[in-house]
């Protein structure tokens, strides 16, 4: 196959899967075959992991052998570093599935050049390709190669173009890594690679609020459409790069008309008969208004109806949740012992939002619950920038709806007597129902009030209902008359 033969009979570019499933969705099915792609990023952004995953996926899934050309780390170091992701590079080398070309010069060596070429390097690569019948080639990292040469940048660009063209003509899909000096500066340090490559992908590892946020962006995809903007990703043991592309999410899920209980008959009545089975409900309120109690009712009501439920708690320990539930008449410990309830408690700061999302998705797919509760979103909000938090919410709500399970999330209001939290602002348009809990002052007495602010696809009560909390849980009373308008967003 030649570079001119990289289209199928329909005229559509043939795609090569990278092994990063969500990234392949960003580039409409994978990287174009027999093309070159530069993956640039600052040190520690995941370039080598991404590149190795590209080779590993070809070997293990598509029977496409590979060649890894290293200009920085010796092969033994790369093999050791990649073992934690489950990739057995030494075994693949022994079995003739993978070949290394070690082009890393001594650390002290610096070459002063005039007119030169990399014909020797190209010959070594071509020899390795022939030995293992490779279809994929990785050059990691070109920056290290250029750093060891002092000369005319035009010559470097010429030689890089020569190598790229030769490999493409051989039908090879080439991935080159390159370093950059800053997260949002020049694409590559030497400003050469991006002009030679057909495609450019940028990995970022931005520090925000003392936490790192990794994103991936497809900057250029020559002759092919691709999703624009940054998508979050993370690095996981035994998996490698795992991306979460918002652009691939589709509003394609079916809408159920089946109702499920909220766990409180009076709230069910206010909601027109209960919550929809595949809906996501936001419960918003100031501290102490009863948000966790509604979560408890939601979970216990599901278990009582023969369903399985899972709770992700980010503010209280499992012991506290068990104690609180027991105080309201629900035995969470017994439910969990019977395999009907699963409770996961994590510190928000323990990992980034993409990792939290993957944890939720993995445990939901493993436990297969009928309903899920997250308490609270406000705790997760503080560990990420607004953009990252909204990405998390979009992915979370989309996941819940695709699984057709009932979801309930809580958010803490910034004021004791009303007002939106940032969590509300982000998720209010993404949820199907919103239940507001507020303190309402009447003369010298502070009361609690509940209102169903929104419920898609259903009539619902519009009044503000009084409610009290005791050892038996929540009890709704009569509507307020002439209460202050504390529910206005």
């Amino acid at each position: 196959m030649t570079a001119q033969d990289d289209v199928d009979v329909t005229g559509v570019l043939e795609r090569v899967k990278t092994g990063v499933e969500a990234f392949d969705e960003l580039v409409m099915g994978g990287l174009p075959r027999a093309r070159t792609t530069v993956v640039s990023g600052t040190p520690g952004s995941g370039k080598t992991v991404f590149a190795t995953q590209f080779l590993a996926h070809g070997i293990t899934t598509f029977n496409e052998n590979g060649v890894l050309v290293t200009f920085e780390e010796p092969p033994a170091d790369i093999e050791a570093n990649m073992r934690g992701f489950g990739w057995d590079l030494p075994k693949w080398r022994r079995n003739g599935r993978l070949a290394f070309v070690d082009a890393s010069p001594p650390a002290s060596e610096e070459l002063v050049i005039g007119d030169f070429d990399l014909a020797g390097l190209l010959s070594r690569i071509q020899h390795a390709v022939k030995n293992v019948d490779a279809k994929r080639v990785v050059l990691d990292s070109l920056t290290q190669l250029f750093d060891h040469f002092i000369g005319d940048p035009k010559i470097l660009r010429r030689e890089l173009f020569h190598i790229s063209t030769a490999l493409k003509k051989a039908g090879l899909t080439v991935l080159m890594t390159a370093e950059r000096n800053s997260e949002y500066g020049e694409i590559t340090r030497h400003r050469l690679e991006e002009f030679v490559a057909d495609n450019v992908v940028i990995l970022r590892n931005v520090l925000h609020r003392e936490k790192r946020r990794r994103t991936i962006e497809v900057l250029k995809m020559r002759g092919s459409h691709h999703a624009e903007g940054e998508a979050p990703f993370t690095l996981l043991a035994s998996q490698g790069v795992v991306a979460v592309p918002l652009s691939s999410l589709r509003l394609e899920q079916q809408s159920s008309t089946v109702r499920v209980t909220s766990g409180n008959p009076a709230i069910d009545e206010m909601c027109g008969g209960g919550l929809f089975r595949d809906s996501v409900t936001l419960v918003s309120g100031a501290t102490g208004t009863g948000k966790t109690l509604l979560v408890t009712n939601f979970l216990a009501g599901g278990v009582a109806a023969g369903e399985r439920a899972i709770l992700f708690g980010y503010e209280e320990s499992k012991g506290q949740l068990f104690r609180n539930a027991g105080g309201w008449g629900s035995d969470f410990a017994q439910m969990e012992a019977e395999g009907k309830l699963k409770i996961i408690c994590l510190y928000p700061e323990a990992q980034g939002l993409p990792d939290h999302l993957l944890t939720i998705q993995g445990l939901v797919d493993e436990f297969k619950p009928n309903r899920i509760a997250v308490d609270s979103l406000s705790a997760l909000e503080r560990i990420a920038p607004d953009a990252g938090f909204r990405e998390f919410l979009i992915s979370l709500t989309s996941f819940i709806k695709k699984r057709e399970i009932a979801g309930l999330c809580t958010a803490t209001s910034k004021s004791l007597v009303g007002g939106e939290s940032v969590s509300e602002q982000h998720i209010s348009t993404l949820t199907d129902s919103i239940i507001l809990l507020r303190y309402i002052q009447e003369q010298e007495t502070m009361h609690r009030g509940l209102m169903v602010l929104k419920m898609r696809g259903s009539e619902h009560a519009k009044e503000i209902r009084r409610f009290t909390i005791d050892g038996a849980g929540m009890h709704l009373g009569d509507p307020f008359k002439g209460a202050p308008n504390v529910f206005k967003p």
Side-chain angles (χ1 to χ4, degrees):
M1 177 184 287
T2 68
Q4 286 74 35
D5 296 326
D6 59 0
V7 294
D8 61 21
V9 293
T10 64
V12 179
L13 286 172
E14 182 182 351
R15 302 288 176 165
V16 175
K17 300 288 187 180
T18 65
V20 185
E21 181 177 345
F23 170 78
D24 289 337
E25 296 176 8
L26 291 175
V27 292
M28 309 301 135
L31 299 175
R33 185 174 295 279
R35 297 283 181 93
T36 56
T37 300
V38 164
V39 177
S40 70
T42 55
S45 57
K47 300 183 298 298
T48 300
V49 177
F50 186 96
T52 307
Q53 189 164 337
F54 169 72
L55 292 176
H57 190 64
I59 293 171
T60 59
T61 306
F62 291 102
N63 196 33
E64 294 186 356
N65 296 345
V67 170
L68 176 53
V69 185
T70 174
F71 299 103
E72 182 176 9
E73 297 179 277
D77 288 352
I78 295 178
E79 291 175 343
N81 295 336
M82 296 300 112
R83 191 171 293 118
F85 296 106
W87 304 323
D88 194 346
L89 273 61
K91 176 182 176 181
W92 297 337
R93 291 179 69 182
R94 292 193 301 270
N95 294 340
R97 307 299 307 278
L98 174 69
F100 272 96
V101 175
D102 186 0
S104 54
S108 59
E109 182 178 331
E110 186 176 78
L111 302 180
V112 180
I113 62 170
D115 191 10
F116 87 114
D117 61 54
L118 295 176
L121 175 62
L122 177 59
S123 295
R124 293 177 62 190
I125 296 173
Q126 291 172 328
H127 179 71
V129 167
K130 182 178 180 180
N131 281 346
V132 298
D133 189 24
K135 297 295 185 294
R136 305 184 182 202
V137 175
V138 164
L139 281 66
D140 181 43
S141 121
L142 292 176
T143 304
Q144 299 305 316
L145 171 65
F146 294 162
D147 282 347
H148 285 278
F149 291 93
I150 301 175
D152 188 349
K154 293 180 180 179
I155 298 177
L156 293 175
R157 182 172 177 176
R158 180 198 69 192
E159 292 305 309
L160 179 59
F161 181 78
H162 178 60
I163 291 178
S164 173
T165 301
L167 297 179
K168 286 167 58 178
K169 284 184 176 180
L172 298 165
T173 306
V174 183
L175 194 151
M176 305 179 290
T177 69
E179 291 188 5
R180 58 199 314 230
N181 294 323
S182 62
E183 302 295 352
Y184 291 95
E186 297 291 345
I187 297 174
T188 59
R189 184 181 299 169
H190 293 281
R191 302 179 63 184
L192 297 173
E193 301 91 326
E194 64 265 30
F195 297 106
V196 174
D198 301 295
N199 318 310
V200 176
V201 176
I202 298 177
L203 304 182
R204 294 189 176 94
N205 190 21
V206 180
L207 181 65
H208 179 83
R209 296 180 184 175
E210 300 180 352
K211 298 286 290 185
R212 290 286 178 181
R213 176 175 179 262
R214 297 181 184 272
T215 63
I216 187 168
E217 178 186 5
V218 182
L219 184 66
K220 180 178 80 169
M221 190 68 57
R222 186 172 291 162
S224 172
H225 180 63
H226 63 87
E228 298 181 351
E230 296 180 76
F233 80 92
T234 187
L235 299 178
L236 295 180
S238 301
Q239 294 187 55
V241 177
V242 180
V244 184
L246 300 181
S247 59
S248 70
L249 302 179
R250 301 287 185 266
L251 296 174
E252 298 173 345
Q253 63 273 1
Q254 300 298 315
S255 295
S256 173
T257 57
V258 176
R259 303 270 186 166
V260 298
T261 181
S262 67
N264 187 302
I267 295 179
D268 289 345
E269 183 180 350
M270 293 184 70
C271 293
L275 308 173
F276 287 118
R277 183 185 64 187
D278 57 354
S279 65
V280 179
T281 300
L282 172 67
V283 176
S284 169
T287 180
T289 51
K291 299 185 299 298
T292 302
L293 171 55
L294 282 188
V295 169
T296 301
N297 290 342
F298 176 74
L299 298 171
V303 171
E307 300 176 353
R308 291 160 65 88
I310 189 168
L311 167 64
F312 293 91
Y314 298 101
E315 290 189 330
E316 297 179 275
S317 67
K318 180 180 288 191
Q320 288 177 299
L321 292 171
F322 280 12
R323 181 197 63 194
N324 295 342
W328 296 317
S330 297
D331 191 345
F332 273 7
Q334 181 63 30
M335 296 177 193
E336 194 169 52
E338 294 174 352
K340 300 175 181 178
L341 175 68
K342 190 176 189 67
I343 296 179
I344 309 297
C345 296
L346 297 169
Y347 279 111
E349 291 80 7
Q351 55 190 14
L353 282 184
D355 299 274
H356 280 298
L357 177 64
L358 293 171
T359 297
I360 292 173
Q361 292 176 340
L363 289 171
V364 166
D365 286 340
E366 175 187 322
F367 189 64
K368 298 184 178 356
N370 304 100
R371 53 181 65 196
I372 176 177
V374 178
D375 185 29
S376 80
L377 293 175
S378 300
L380 293 171
E381 174 193 329
R382 66 174 182 256
I383 68 170
D386 286 353
F389 184 60
R390 184 166 178 81
E391 289 166 356
F392 168 81
L393 292 177
I394 293 173
S395 300
L396 175 63
T397 54
S398 175
F399 172 77
I400 292 174
K401 289 174 178 292
K402 284 184 178 180
R403 293 301 186 276
E404 296 187 358
I405 56 182
L408 187 144
C409 305
T410 69
T412 302
S413 300
K414 61 185 178 182
S415 170
L416 289 178
V417 292
E420 276 190 320
S421 68
V422 176
S423 302
E424 284 183 70
Q425 296 168 14
H426 279 299
I427 200 175
S428 60
T429 58
L430 303 176
T431 53
D432 303 287
S433 307
I434 299 178
I435 297 175
L436 298 182
L437 307 178
R438 296 289 190 264
Y439 290 111
I440 298 177
Q441 184 175 359
E442 285 186 327
Q443 297 179 354
E444 298 177 353
T445 305
M446 190 71 77
H447 301 276
R448 291 186 177 96
L450 180 149
M451 178 183 182
V452 179
L453 181 66
K454 163 186 161 183
M455 189 163 187
R456 284 184 181 140
S458 173
E459 284 293 325
H460 60 87
K462 308 300 191 296
E463 71 269 10
I464 304 171
R465 296 277 295 275
R466 299 173 186 269
F467 72 90
T468 58
I469 298 175
D470 59 22
M474 177 182 290
H475 307 278
L476 269 66
D478 297 329
F480 281 94
K481 301 297 182 182
N485 187 10
V486 296
F487 289 93
K488 183 177 181 181

